[in-house]
Amino acid sequence: MNERKFRDVTDKIFFRVINTNLNRVLVDSAPTIELPEFGVSKVFYAFLNGDEFGASTLLINDPVAEFLGFSVEELNHFAERNTFNLFPTTAVSFAEVKEAMPEFDREDCNIGLDMEFFVLTNDYYDKGAHAMFNRDFLDGFAKATAEKRLYIIPMTEHELLLVRGSQVRGEYDVQMMKDCLYSFTNDKEFHSNMLSYECIIYDVETRQY
């Protein structure tokens, strides 16, 4: 392990999540951790710099990992430590997003006007779906809203929808959220960046999905 030699790099390693099946070439050519229960994989990057226009990053593929001398377990260790410091999670009201981005205001995705949705991403609004694994943020959100359970709709690699558990009335609402997800991710505009067809439930007490 070359952590001492590449100490500056270890502080910049983070992970993103991608759809495993749609990115099989990438998954097979880079150190990844597959999470079949979600249909996604964790892929590792090095953060180069960032500003108001976005973040510059470097994919850690097999040759880069070999050069650095890090195993996938070590990369994951660094990424778990760094990701949410480098890319803080943010939640924005879905109503605000629809005003700014009309493509999200769709008649085929009316999943309950009495439900309040939040878009979960990172401060760069780019490849922010890794926020689904930010348990500290989810715990804080749940505490602030007095919730014991949160529902996560993993729309694309860039963003998720977050729904408070008390607003989900049962399997009907869960199916409606899945239908919405299916509608979005099968649209040509979104399909290339789709993340998963799963509706993920986060239990605050156990911190398990």
Side-chain angles (χ1 to χ4, degrees):
M1 176 176 174
N2 297 326
E3 181 173 3
R4 180 174 298 177
K5 181 178 179 181
F6 295 108
R7 184 173 299 278
D8 290 343
V9 176
T10 64
D11 291 338
K12 301 296 184 181
I13 292 172
F14 69 98
F15 72 86
R16 287 172 171 163
V17 291
I18 59 174
N19 180 284
T20 301
N21 291 332
L22 288 181
N23 296 276
R24 180 53 65 183
V25 173
L26 174 56
V27 170
D28 291 342
S29 61
T32 58
I33 294 179
E34 295 191 32
L35 303 169
E37 65 271 33
F38 305 122
V40 306
S41 292
K42 295 170 70 173
V43 183
F44 304 99
Y45 287 77
F47 178 83
L48 303 179
N49 57 67
D51 55 29
E52 66 271 23
F53 300 107
S56 297
T57 63
L58 173 69
L59 170 67
I60 301 178
N61 57 19
D62 287 338
V64 173
E66 183 178 359
F67 172 76
L68 295 174
F70 295 142
S71 67
V72 65
E73 292 80 13
E74 290 167 335
L75 290 171
N76 189 56
H77 170 74
F78 301 140
E80 289 283 347
R81 183 181 67 194
N82 301 328
T83 297
F84 302 119
N85 292 324
L86 294 170
F87 295 87
T89 299
T90 187
V92 183
S93 167
F94 188 53
E96 296 179 22
V97 173
K98 287 198 295 183
E99 288 184 9
M101 302 176 66
E103 62 267 30
F104 279 91
D105 192 3
R106 301 164 56 107
E107 292 183 358
D108 60 349
C109 193
N110 183 1
I111 52 179
L113 296 178
D114 58 335
M115 299 173 69
E116 183 180 15
F117 298 88
F118 295 87
V119 175
L120 202 61
T121 184
N122 58 43
D123 280 357
Y124 290 99
Y125 292 84
D126 180 54
K127 305 290 186 181
H130 50 205
M132 66 189 289
F133 296 115
N134 190 346
R135 286 180 170 87
D136 289 340
F137 182 91
L138 295 176
D139 291 345
F141 183 94
K143 182 178 181 180
T145 55
E147 296 289 344
K148 296 181 179 180
R149 178 177 292 182
L150 300 174
Y151 287 77
I152 301 169
I153 306 174
M155 298 182 66
T156 75
E157 296 176 6
H158 301 290
E159 66 277 306
L160 319 160
L161 280 185
L162 183 67
V163 186
R164 295 165 54 188
S166 61
Q167 295 188 321
V168 179
R169 294 158 294 192
E171 288 299 319
Y172 175 78
D173 281 349
V174 173
Q175 186 59 49
M176 289 292 286
M177 288 189 287
K178 288 184 178 181
D179 290 344
C180 171
L181 174 62
Y182 184 83
S183 174
F184 266 108
T185 56
N186 279 277
D187 189 298
K188 291 182 179 179
E189 186 173 355
F190 293 93
H191 184 71
S192 61
N193 291 311
M194 71 157 285
L195 190 62
S196 172
Y197 286 120
E198 299 300 323
C199 180
I200 300 168
I201 303 173
Y202 178 71
D203 185 280
V204 179
E205 183 175 350
T206 64
R207 306 193 85 199
Q208 297 298 313
Y209 298 91

